Amino acid sequence: MECWFVQEKPGRGGGLTGATTQEKSLLHIRTDAQSEAAEAQRAPADINPSRVYVITDPSATLCHPSLNPPRGSIKKPQCEINPFLPQPSSIKWVASLTEPALSPPYLQADWFSASFQNLDKHLGVSTISRAPTGSKEHDVILSITSKTMSAKSRLGEPVTLDCSFWVDPSTPLSTSGFSVEWRYQTRGDGRLVLAYDGKTDRLADSQERGVSLDFQALHERGNASLVIEEAKVRHAGTYICTVYLPYLLAQVAMELEIIEPPSLSIHPSPLPLAAPGQTVQVQCEASGFAPLPLELSWEFKGADEKSRSLGSGSMSGHRQAWDGTYSQSSRLELDTSKMDLGRGGEVTCVAVHAGGTRRASVTLNAIGFSSPSIEDSMAMVGVALVLYGLIKFVSWTFTGSGSNKADEPNKKEK
């Protein structure tokens, strides 16, 4: 696996650190330390042989197919490796892991942290590895994985942010317990969501409401996934899952996006009857959506089933409700002196949003905009003929009865 080796240059005279440098490196991944690593002896021409490493990962996390595309692939997983300095933590839910505060000889080695992300950016892995001083063969000691690096949810739904970890059982650090911490960040603001000391089996007092861990799965399988009972707009942002061992930590950051499509309503409904020379006003209200932005537009479909765009109308500014969702409206003025509505049709409001496209329609009835169609003309001729026949029949009937009455007195005189 190709990777970038990133480190900071030491500052001049032992002062502040200098600029960050990065070198192309190559990682050969294996699951068994006894397997051959002959490939590690062959370095590509563009990679310094000193930046070729052999990584032993007994958990096989780094052997996931999505992290190993076919040879010759143009697109490759993201990978970065950095030097790591083990140190104790003073955080109250981690401090118990390093009591007494004596650094074991096991820490006297070269340590590295590495982060990996697959092509579709749904799988993320972070590792801490150890190598004897000066060696290019690293052993993964701690790995943390998430399969929800980019998660999405609608409002009100339960959300599970995946986070699991593995600890090499052969390391002496595996017997001293662990701690798990979840933090939330967005737009520079952050807060502690949940923290758990696995050694003392205690939750931090600052636990946020509506979130939980499965503690049985946490201890049995290393499942540190965070469960949000009911997604709200305020939950959207970056979540960082951190797992602590004595002197070590690894973390993965994932994004949660709350996407709720708008609800549409049209006013007035039904629309008033439209006649030539009138102006018909109609408003579309989109409410309860998140996040911004939203695109509103109008369409008109006539009796001939042909649709035409009426533009976006006059847009209002967005308004935010108490629950964090947004609303926005568009007002459309139909100037009948400038458009032929024919025999009417359907006016539709179209909302395009990250949560999908929504439509709402209302019927528009119109009179006096166009001459009758051939069918209508034929029907009118037919009606006229029927009326003409009825009139003639009634006329003949009255004329005939009047003649008979006029003849009766003449018959009596005779």
Side-chain angles (χ1 to χ4, degrees), residues 320-368:
Q320 191 168 22
W322 62 271
D323 62 353
T325 60
Y326 297 93
S327 62
Q328 196 168 14
S329 62
S330 172
R331 183 169 56 86
L332 179 68
E333 291 188 354
L334 292 171
D335 188 350
T336 59
S337 65
K338 298 180 180 179
M339 61 183 299
D340 183 5
L341 297 178
R343 288 175 291 164
E346 191 174 67
V347 178
T348 301
C349 175
V350 182
V352 179
H353 184 257
T357 300
R358 296 292 186 269
R359 295 172 177 268
S361 301
V362 64
T363 300
L364 176 64
N365 294 310
I367 57 172

Side-chain angles (χ1 to χ4, degrees), residues 63-103:
C63 297
H64 193 280
S66 66
L67 292 175
N68 295 273
R71 289 182 179 272
S73 299
I74 297 177
K75 293 184 178 180
K76 299 177 181 180
Q78 296 179 14
C79 174
E80 182 178 311
I81 185 170
N82 316 86
F84 179 82
L85 179 63
Q87 54 187 337
S89 174
S90 60
I91 302 175
K92 60 182 179 181
W93 50 84
V94 183
S96 65
L97 302 181
T98 53
E99 295 175 353
L102 297 176
S103 298

Side-chain angles (χ1 to χ4, degrees), residues 29-32 55-63 138 140 143 166:
I29 313 297
R30 62 185 182 183
T31 57
D32 184 0
I55 310 295
T56 302
D57 178 20
S59 71
T61 302
L62 298 180
C63 297
H138 300 185
V140 174
S143 67
W166 175 87

